[in-house]
Amino acid sequence: MTGRKVAKNVFFLGAIDWDRRLFDELIPLPDGTTYNAFLVKGSGRAALVDTVDPSMSHVLLGMLDDSGIDQLDYVVINHAEQDHSGSLPLVLEKYPEARVVTNQKCKNLLMEMLLIPEEKFLVIEDRSTLLLGNKTLEFIFCPWVHWPETMITYLREDKILFTCDFFGSHLATSDLFATDKSLIYESAKRYYAEIMMPFKVPIRKNIEKIQDLPIDIIAPSHGPLHGQPGFILDAYREWISDRVKNEVVIGYVSMHGSTHKMVEHLVDVLIQQGIRVKQFDLTRADIGKFAMALVDAATLILASPTTLGGTHPQAVFGAYLVNALRPKTRFVSIIGSYGWGGKMHDQLVDLLSNLKIDFLDPVIIKGYPKKQDFESLTKLGVLIRKKHDENAIS
Ligand code: FEO
């Protein structure tokens, strides 16, 4: 592959990973991803901004070969996670004169994780600058988006913000810039839901830090670039807001049909109540879609049978994931069926300890649902609508 021009003397040296289907051994990538690196050629010096996943080092090194630079002065590392830093050892082997430009926290992580020698680093401070001749890089610390060391780099003269994971999307595409807005919205929201959602509060502060910058291009390190930055900035502002929607997400497991029958009835009641419902079988759902649904929903229902005396393991996984993602969900209820007893309800409540939620009365039944059980589920659905109305959730 050959590098592509982003602006005058600014090049995209990214690798498109069309075939990757899992990230962090957890996150489904239905549309693959990209690892974006950028070459900034100033009149005096050249800097590479981030590298690529080590599985695709050859792509980056090939593009550097084709780039026409004899010398690489700096490698800016915005984030230490290996999908962006992992090719750094090979880049430094190829360009031994290059200094690694990053903050102290990132330096410490790179020394631990990639065994980069200390003398390679040039440690920078928040809002400090690096001159490349006629181009100026400014470093803006954005901690906890999504690691403690994360920062972004602003190319002043071209008004380009290199944001690494921030504003990224797992989308393998040959488009350099985002064109299909509905496609990019979905993949960026999936990315936000699975990686950024637990960090809503730091993201709010970090968006404030950049709101007065003139920005022509947002260049993340996953997915296409944003030539109309307002689109992704507005999407993030909505996702990180306190606003929730009149929606219920149901994550369920059913072994012999009893819990499924309960879910089916509750879904019908909720629809009759004018509530949008998103239902996920936790044994086979795309957990990325489950996470995306949690970005906006006011209410979550977890439904599980009792297995081996407790919660079904797949429902435990779902609850653990929700707890880790920390959505802005306001209300939760737990429903399910048991055969001879168990601690399913209490276990699920304990697993959601990170969330600031109002637990609505559970509906836990014995065996297959009967008339009074359906009535309890109907009451739950009506109560959810009442709670949404009381909180002006539309
Ligand atoms: Fe794309 Fe946090 O790495």
Side-chain angles (χ1 to χ4, degrees), residues 23 79 81 83-84 146-147 165 191 222:
F23 196 83
H79 173 31
E81 194 164 11
D83 53 321
H84 308 292
H146 63 125
W147 279 19
D165 281 341
Y191 190 86
H222 293 292

Side-chain angles (χ1 to χ4, degrees), residues 76-208:
V76 176
I77 298 289
N78 283 314
H79 173 31
E81 194 164 11
Q82 290 91 331
D83 53 321
H84 308 292
S85 68
S87 297
L88 181 59
L90 289 177
V91 172
L92 294 176
E93 203 176 294
K94 185 177 176 68
Y95 299 101
E97 73 284 1
R99 306 285 302 279
V100 180
V101 180
T102 194
N103 60 69
Q104 184 66 47
K105 282 183 182 167
C106 192
K107 171 189 164 185
N108 294 344
L109 287 169
L110 293 170
M111 288 175 64
E112 292 290 343
M113 296 192 304
L114 297 177
L115 310 181
I116 306 292
E118 181 155 25
E119 62 270 18
K120 289 285 183 187
F121 288 91
L122 172 62
V123 174
I124 46 81
E125 300 297 328
D126 189 20
R127 306 310 293 229
S128 63
T129 56
L130 183 68
L131 289 176
L132 306 176
N134 62 347
K135 290 191 189 284
T136 313
L137 299 177
E138 179 180 353
F139 307 105
I140 304 169
F141 291 9
C142 287
W144 293 109
V145 184
H146 63 125
W147 279 19
E149 88 298 1
T150 43
M151 66 179 202
I152 57 182
T153 298
Y154 181 57
L155 175 53
R156 278 185 184 168
E157 290 75 10
D158 299 284
K159 303 183 182 66
I160 300 174
L161 200 59
F162 300 105
T163 56
C164 203
D165 281 341
F166 205 4
F167 307 120
S169 53
H170 282 312
L171 178 65
T173 171
S174 58
D175 291 344
L176 184 58
F177 285 90
T179 48
D180 181 337
K181 283 194 174 169
S182 62
L183 176 64
I184 192 70
Y185 185 88
E186 283 291 299
S187 57
K189 188 174 187 181
R190 175 185 280 269
Y191 190 86
Y192 168 82
E194 293 169 322
I195 294 176
M196 297 294 176
M197 188 153 63
F199 306 102
K200 283 187 292 297
V201 174
I203 289 174
R204 282 177 199 159
K205 288 184 187 152
N206 287 317
I207 284 188
E208 275 173 28

